[in-house]
């Protein structure tokens, strides 16, 4: 007797938006490989915000924002082209490591939407409030709490407006949001309580360069990272390691710039979705 697979939980008015730039186009095949592996029923299309290049996958719509003027300016211009009330935000160098528990995600998303919320952090922040012990989400009231971009659901128009009002990089934007929270000027921001712990599991694989945890993760999944494009320098905090990394910063920017120009000239700016797998030894 055949059984029908259960339908994925309904996530109305929610799409995934990946915040990126052409400098990190070498991360796209890896990011989407793990996204579609661990979240096969992800709401599509997925929106990739970047500069001039595009990604070759029918499940992905590339939103080109043009030249970098600031991180916030690019995000504001990109979100204006995402036709969704809410966006699940990812950064391109944070790879999913476990299957997305979609039912639990829906259980967090629906109260956010029902309360007309503007953001919820998808990492546990604190216990549930005393007046609502079983709550999965709760309003941010503690000035020490903050909003970030590693994994969270934002109201698209709210985040677009917030980014359009400033010219900041991503780290200063998070600091700007902290100031808004402390000043009581951030509306309807929520945290995910410990009742919903462990919703999203991911790993930061690069910080400009490859990190050891990232190298270990992709190799454990039989994927060969391109270390010519983005090296794996010494990881310590000694003088030698810092010196090597300072030199390689310029190298990475140069290689990325040359690759972007090559793709625009030879391949209409399209980045292949092919992933380089490690060949098995005979």
């Amino acid at each position: 007797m055949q059984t029908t697979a259960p339908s994925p939980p309904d996530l109305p008015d929610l799409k995934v938006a990946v915040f990126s730039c052409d400098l990190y186009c070498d991360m796209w095949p890896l990011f989407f490989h793990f996204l579609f592996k661990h979240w096969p029923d992800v709401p599509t299309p997925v929106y990739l915000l970047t500069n001039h290049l595009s990604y070759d996958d029918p499940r992905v719509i590339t939103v080109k924002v043009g030249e970098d003027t600031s991180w916030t300016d690019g995000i504001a211009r990109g979100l204006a082209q995402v036709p969704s009330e809410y966006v699940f935000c990812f950064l391109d160098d944070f790879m999913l490591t476990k299957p997305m528990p979609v039912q639990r995600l829906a259980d967090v998303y629906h109260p956010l939407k029902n309360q007309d919320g503007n953001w919820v952090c998808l990492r546990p922040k604190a216990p549930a409030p005393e007046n609502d012990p079983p709550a999965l989400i709760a309003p941010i009231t503690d000035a020490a709490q903050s909003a970030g971009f590693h994994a969270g659901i934002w109201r698209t128009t709210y985040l677009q407006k917030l980014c359009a009002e400033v010219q900041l990089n991503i780290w200063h934007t998070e600091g700007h949001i902290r100031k808004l929270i402390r000043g009581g000027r951030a509306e309807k921001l929520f945290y995910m309580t410990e009742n919903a712990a462990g919703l999203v599991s991911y790993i930061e694989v690069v910080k400009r360069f490859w990190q050891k945890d990232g190298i270990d993760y992709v190799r454990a999944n039989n994927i060969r990272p391109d270390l010519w494009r983005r090296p794996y320098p010494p990881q310590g905090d000694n003088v030698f390691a810092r010196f090597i990394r300072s030199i390689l910063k310029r190298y990475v920017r140069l290689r990325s710039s040359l690759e972007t120009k090559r793709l625009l000239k030879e391949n209409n700016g399209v980045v292949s979705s092919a992933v380089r797998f490690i060949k098995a030894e005979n």
Side-chain angles (χ1 to χ4, degrees), residues 5-244:
S7 300
D10 189 25
L11 297 169
D13 307 314
L14 176 68
K15 295 293 185 183
V16 169
V18 184
F19 297 163
S20 186
C21 63
D22 290 354
L23 178 66
Y24 280 78
C25 70
D26 57 312
M27 291 289 103
W28 300 349
L30 303 180
F31 174 86
F32 287 109
H33 170 80
F34 289 111
L35 175 69
F36 295 129
K37 172 184 178 179
H38 292 304
W39 194 357
D41 296 318
V42 59
T44 54
V46 175
Y47 291 86
L48 171 65
L49 279 59
T50 188
N51 305 111
H52 305 286
L53 301 178
S54 58
Y55 185 64
D56 187 20
D57 190 307
R59 297 166 292 184
V60 178
I61 289 179
T62 305
V63 178
K64 302 177 185 179
V65 303
E67 293 295 333
D68 271 324
T69 55
S70 69
W71 187 83
T72 48
D73 180 64
I75 298 301
R77 285 185 281 133
L79 289 175
Q81 302 177 58
V82 178
S84 180
E85 183 179 2
Y86 287 93
V87 288
F88 187 132
C89 296
F90 279 104
L91 301 180
D92 53 15
D93 53 353
F94 284 74
M95 313 292 173
L96 287 180
T97 58
K98 295 180 181 178
M100 179 68 70
V102 185
Q103 181 58 62
R104 294 173 67 192
L105 173 63
D107 292 341
V108 168
Y109 172 60
H110 284 288
L112 174 73
K113 184 174 172 61
N114 293 340
Q115 296 180 64
D116 200 32
N118 288 320
W119 172 81
V120 63
C121 174
L122 295 179
R123 286 290 180 124
K125 285 280 189 179
E130 293 182 3
N131 63 345
D132 191 5
L136 298 182
I137 69 172
I140 286 181
T141 56
D142 184 348
Q145 294 176 349
S146 180
F149 299 99
H150 291 168
I153 297 175
W154 287 90
R155 182 187 295 278
T156 308
T157 53
Y158 181 87
L159 182 55
Q160 178 193 352
K161 182 176 182 296
L162 186 151
C163 287
E165 292 174 346
V166 293
Q167 293 282 327
L168 299 171
N169 62 31
I170 184 171
W171 302 283
H172 290 160
T173 304
E174 293 179 339
H176 172 66
I177 297 171
R178 282 194 293 272
K179 292 179 181 178
L180 294 178
I181 293 172
R182 286 197 297 267
R185 292 176 288 148
E187 299 178 353
K188 299 181 180 179
L189 303 186
F190 290 77
Y191 68 90
M192 191 173 75
T193 74
E194 293 173 353
N195 292 332
L199 182 59
V200 184
S201 178
Y202 58 75
I203 184 173
E204 185 178 13
V205 298
V206 303
K207 289 183 178 177
R208 188 183 299 269
F209 311 113
W210 278 98
Q211 304 293 297
K212 183 181 186 306
D213 288 347
I215 288 286
D216 292 345
Y217 179 62
V218 296
R219 286 177 173 169
N221 282 272
N222 203 39
I223 291 173
R224 185 189 305 278
D226 185 352
L227 299 182
W228 287 106
R229 171 66 184 272
R230 191 176 300 276
Y232 175 45
Q235 300 294 293
D237 195 36
N238 57 68
V239 174
F240 173 75
R242 293 199 303 269
F243 174 70
I244 294 298

